[in-house]
Amino acid sequence: KNEVEQSPQNLTAQEGEFITINCSYSVGISALHWLQQHPGGGIVSLFMLSSGKKKHGRLIATINIQEKHSSLHITASHPRDSAVYICAVRSKGNKLVFGAGTILRVKS
Amino acid sequence: GAGVSQTPSNKVTEKGKYVELRCDPISGHTALYWYRQSLGQGPEFLIYFQGTGAADDSGLPNDRFFAVRPEGSVSTLKIQRTERGDSAVYLCASSLRAGGQGEGYTFGSGTRLTVV
């Protein structure tokens, strides 16, 4: 079993829909990151969380430390949100352990 | 620099050859990380530096892989006797320092290595 599990693996949505991507982890962590990766592009850091909730524009990230679970929400989705969204956790030793990613496609 | 710079962006090499991949982190970032991402998978940790020293190299797959950061800034990932299975995107990231809950990462755009 991977230390970081994401769901769904693939997600197709219509423009304007509310989107949720989930991340569960099995190790103790000091922080959790949500990252965005466009095809052929590098990785952009969206959020870093250690507790509670953060919001940036149409993106919201939440984390429940007790349940070892985090969610990334996108409100009013747009085709330009199409990308791979990756959850990564920082456990011991400062290195990140990544989930396999969620491929999001938003259709107009 | 303004961001993390990785060169080359693409590298095609023949099986058995030696390659070097370069990462230029954000100025002042003391922590530097190398990850490898195979097709369809999430990135996997290779090695990280705090300053000039490799603080954790547990992710390097074998002794064909080696990385240096002699002056605590630019890092070079070196792969000897490349194999087709080494084909992947090699990602570099840096942060102001390692440790603590407040350190965000900045990633480079990666080097896509193809071994033919």
Side-chain angles (χ1 to χ4, degrees):
Chain A
K1 190 179 189 310
N2 293 334
E3 292 175 307
V4 181
E5 296 276 357
Q6 284 186 238
S7 63
Q9 290 183 313
N10 288 278
L11 180 56
T12 300
Q14 285 297 131
E15 183 174 359
E17 285 184 358
F18 180 83
I19 289 164
T20 295
I21 300 171
N22 294 299
C23 176
S24 296
Y25 53 92
S26 58
V27 295
I29 68 168
S30 58
L32 182 145
H33 298 252
W34 281 103
L35 309 163
Q36 181 191 57
Q37 187 173 34
H38 284 278
I43 292 178
V44 174
S45 180
L46 299 175
F47 295 104
M48 182 176 64
L49 295 164
S50 55
S51 64
K53 175 180 172 179
K54 287 189 176 180
K55 184 176 188 294
H56 181 70
R58 296 180 294 106
L59 301 178
I60 303 166
T62 63
I63 188 169
N64 185 318
I65 297 295
Q66 287 73 30
E67 294 185 3
K68 296 187 175 179
H69 181 269
S70 176
S71 293
L72 176 69
H73 306 284
I74 305 175
T75 62
S77 60
H78 189 277
R80 64 176 174 265
D81 297 327
S82 299
V84 178
Y85 291 84
I86 304 173
C87 171
V89 300
R90 183 189 299 162
S91 59
K92 60 182 178 180
N94 302 306
K95 62 188 179 187
L96 293 179
V97 178
F98 291 78
T102 294
I103 301 172
L104 172 65
R105 180 180 170 218
V106 181
K107 298 193 288 186
S108 58
Chain B
V4 176
S5 175
Q6 290 188 247
T7 54
S9 54
N10 280 282
K11 175 71 176 177
V12 180
T13 191
E14 292 181 346
K15 179 176 177 296
K17 299 289 189 184
Y18 168 82
V19 295
E20 290 189 351
L21 312 179
R22 175 188 167 107
C23 174
D24 197 345
I26 289 176
S27 179
H29 278 196
T30 63
L32 184 147
Y33 309 80
W34 283 101
Y35 294 88
R36 178 169 73 171
Q37 186 175 23
S38 299
L39 192 64
Q41 298 181 19
E44 294 178 317
F45 171 77
L46 294 176
I47 184 172
Y48 99 87
F49 291 86
Q50 179 58 49
T52 60
D56 183 347
D57 64 357
S58 62
L60 295 177
N62 52 58
D63 61 6
R64 295 187 297 106
F65 288 74
F66 189 70
V68 296
R69 195 186 185 200
E71 298 178 359
S73 177
V74 171
S75 176
T76 305
L77 178 65
K78 307 180 181 193
I79 310 174
Q80 298 177 319
R81 304 183 304 281
T82 51
E83 299 178 357
R84 292 195 179 89
D86 299 335
S87 297
V89 175
Y90 289 81
L91 293 164
C92 177
S94 70
S95 64
L96 190 59
R97 60 183 181 274
Q101 294 187 354
E103 297 308 321
Y105 288 72
T106 301
F107 284 85
S109 296
T111 293
R112 182 176 299 277
L113 175 66
T114 304
V115 181
V116 297

